[in-house]
Amino acid sequence: MDKQTFLTALKDQGIDLDGQQVKQFEHYFEILAEWNEKMNLTAITDREGVYLKHFYDSLTAAFYYDFGQPLRICDVGAGAGFPSIPLKIAFPHLKVTIVDSLKKRITFLNHLAHELGLNDVAFYHDRAENFGKNAKFREGYDLVMGRAVARMSVLSELCLPLTEKGGVFMAMKGPNLEEEMQDAQTAIQTVGGEVVDVHTFELPESGGERNIALIEKRRKTPKKYPRKAGTPNKDPIQ
């Protein structure tokens, strides 16, 4: 996806980027490419691939949820900043928190935010299990996001404890979500969530199937969740 196709596709969805935002995306790609030579941030390194499978893919979240409102967002396991940094560029009013377990990725994200001139962004080097137990952050976000981080049963236990009651956990996934959702029903309900919608669509230019699941936080998460680091992945709630 070249830059003009990217801008046109977003405009068709009601997202109209100004000159500064266009430059921020250009600079994002340059910084990502430069740092990716020193550390493994992404397997997708060509400009067209990054614009389609990282930038555009991240912004598909805004096709199914209103990012025009004031939101406190937590992005769990964002890696090189996806989906929350593209969303922050497109919707500068967002308050964004990213938690990632790898220190070098947090170093990259701090540099990226500084270079792009982003405000109201915070980065934490921590395991999501520990972060979700911290009273400062627990049930403190309007929207908690995870993009291709773990299967739904695990991701629900990591993300829903951070979601405030009445807020939403959004899982951005590739194909085969239906089977994952069936396995995750008990986990989602145990930590206080209810599935409200699943959107299935194709990325342009044969980019493949994508799924976005929206799960509303209906009840407070029991204190025992999330369990200690590593447990959700080894022993998902059944």
Side-chain angles (χ1 to χ4, degrees):
M1 175 177 268
D2 63 34
K3 185 174 71 177
Q4 194 52 54
T5 307
F6 169 72
L7 296 174
T8 302
L10 291 180
K11 198 166 189 175
D12 289 346
Q13 295 287 342
I15 302 170
D16 203 356
L17 301 182
D18 63 24
Q20 182 192 353
Q21 291 166 313
V22 172
K23 284 179 183 169
Q24 284 175 309
F25 276 111
E26 289 170 354
H27 201 22
Y28 193 165
F29 170 74
E30 290 162 1
I31 295 167
L32 181 65
E34 178 192 342
W35 278 62
N36 207 56
E37 292 179 4
K38 299 179 278 184
M39 63 175 76
N40 182 26
L41 289 165
T42 173
I44 301 164
T45 54
D46 64 295
R47 188 182 298 269
E48 288 76 14
V50 170
Y51 268 79
L52 174 62
K53 295 187 176 178
H54 285 324
F55 296 167
Y56 182 84
D57 190 23
S58 293
L59 291 171
T60 59
F63 304 169
Y64 303 103
Y65 191 82
D66 179 13
F67 284 85
Q69 59 187 316
L71 289 172
R72 297 160 298 160
I73 294 175
C74 184
D75 188 352
V76 174
F82 309 119
S84 57
I85 298 297
L87 286 162
K88 172 68 178 174
I89 293 172
F91 303 94
H93 62 275
L94 299 176
K95 289 180 165 52
V96 172
T97 296
I98 290 177
V99 56
D100 198 280
S101 61
L102 210 58
K103 185 77 168 79
K104 65 182 184 180
R105 286 199 288 252
I106 296 295
T107 303
F108 164 76
L109 291 167
N110 271 303
H111 174 76
L112 178 70
H114 175 74
E115 290 294 309
L116 298 184
L118 302 178
N119 300 314
D120 277 333
V121 290
F123 307 111
Y124 293 92
H125 173 228
D126 204 353
R127 292 287 297 252
E129 296 95 329
N130 300 331
F131 196 75
K133 287 282 195 189
N134 189 325
K136 185 179 171 187
F137 307 111
R138 186 178 178 87
E139 298 190 325
Y141 297 95
D142 306 301
L143 179 68
V144 180
M145 309 182 73
R147 179 179 178 258
V149 178
R151 57 197 189 277
M152 279 300 298
S153 52
V154 178
L155 199 56
S156 300
E157 186 175 347
L158 301 180
C159 292
L160 277 162
L162 290 162
T163 312
E164 73 168 9
K165 193 175 170 188
V168 170
F169 155 45
M170 177 189 288
M172 303 182 73
K173 309 282 285 181
N176 309 319
L177 179 63
E178 191 174 345
E179 187 181 325
E180 279 191 43
M181 290 298 283
Q182 288 170 359
D183 293 341
Q185 285 301 324
T186 301
I188 290 168
Q189 292 182 356
T190 299
V191 290
E194 295 287 344
V195 179
V196 291
D197 227 333
V198 177
H199 301 279
T200 302
F201 58 97
E202 296 281 331
L203 282 183
E205 303 178 3
S206 305
E209 181 187 311
R210 294 291 185 272
N211 287 275
I212 292 179
L214 297 173
I215 295 152
E216 189 176 317
K217 178 75 167 278
R218 297 271 175 87
R219 300 169 298 281
K220 285 181 76 69
T221 301
K223 284 185 180 176
K224 69 179 280 190
Y225 300 106
R227 293 165 293 166
K228 68 181 182 180
T231 303
N233 203 39
K234 286 182 199 157
D235 183 23
I237 301 167
Q238 299 289 351

